[in-house]
Amino acid sequence: MNIDPVLKALAAALHGEGPAVGIVAAEDGTPRAVAVETPGFEDAAVVVRTSGSTGTPKATVLTVDQLAASSMATAMALRGEGQWLLALPLQFVAGVQVLVRSLFAGTRPWAMDLSNGFTPEAFTAAAGELTDTVRFTSLVPTQLQRLLDSPSAETLAALRRFNAILLGGAPAPAALLHAAREAGVKVVTTYGSAETCGGCVYDGRPLDGVSVRLDDGRVLLGGDTVASGYLDAPEATAEAFFDEDGTRWYRTNDLGELAGDGTLTVLGRADDVIITGGVKASAAFIQAELEKFDGVTAAFVAGVPSREWGQAVAAYVAVEDSSAESIADYKARCQESLGALAPKTVLTTDGLIMLPNGKPDRLAMIELLTEVHQGE
């Protein structure tokens, strides 16, 4: 994939020699940079669309200083700068940041061929083109799972050669993290969003210059990496961002816990509490329990409208064995493990529905679960 035109446009924007840019994808997936007017936002360099996993995507405005702060903090956390492999779509913040970090570091990124989707073979071939001894890449959990499931010794060797693999975009199942570390793959979990220049909390700890606090359990992220706001959306900007004592803060939609040493644990979305039959249940908790079962590779849990329960717990589950016997056994284990919190509706598949950036498509799965539940 030729990323030179995008790199050139990004470099001009970061040096103040060109307009702010956004990255769009052509029908064949080829990325291109387009100039974006950013009235009211000084020093805007990049405009990144949020994933839209929970609603209408927003255009997030990032400045040169915010991106520089993020790149510097990332280099400090990873203990150096190196060559990056691009394995994510460029129109989203994790992909853009691979190029931005490379430009600030003065290194040459390499982009894997995504024209036929993400495959272990294409990843391994692209990793083989890297020339620097210090290597990094960013992946989402689904991609890492595919790579670890690959029978190719070359793929595992390629993974082990990375000094760090940033893993974000969605919660990573504990089994996946364990498998990666058992295989000698150096994984760093990341938490953040387009509104924070991408990941700004690594393995539960905020990057240098990033602050984390809780407001009635809701995670607030502050510091120099927090975006200026949303383009053409002043009300949404005022709702999500605020300044306090010289610090810019972003109010996330996630709930979390802070340990005594400052480590953040993200518990799930603030809107994932399901009230079913008068009982409050955490979708994130139920999802984590489902993913502990043998043969389950991923799960998504949500509340769907129910005439009987008000809301019913419903689950979209990716399984290795979709035979009738296996599904029946799986549902029995759900009932035994979760009791009243067991999903009333279960859809099994070989993989979750995903957005182009690798995040679960919550809206699509909720719609399907609602249709199935109402038809039962």
Side-chain angles (χ1 to χ4, degrees), residues 48-60 91-93 169 193-195 230 250 253 269 353-366:
V48 179
R49 292 276 173 181
T50 58
S51 66
S53 60
T54 59
T56 303
K58 304 179 185 72
T60 307
Q91 60 267 40
F92 298 106
V93 70
S193 62
E195 291 88 348
Y230 300 124
Y250 168 59
N253 289 320
R269 293 182 55 81
I353 302 175
M354 309 299 284
L355 292 164
N357 65 341
K359 288 187 176 183
D361 192 335
R362 293 171 54 89
L363 297 182
M365 287 187 283
I366 289 173

Side-chain angles (χ1 to χ4, degrees), residues 43-67:
D43 301 323
V46 178
V47 177
V48 179
R49 292 276 173 181
T50 58
S51 66
S53 60
T54 59
T56 303
K58 304 179 185 72
T60 307
V61 180
L62 304 175
T63 68
V64 175
D65 287 345
Q66 291 154 7
L67 291 164

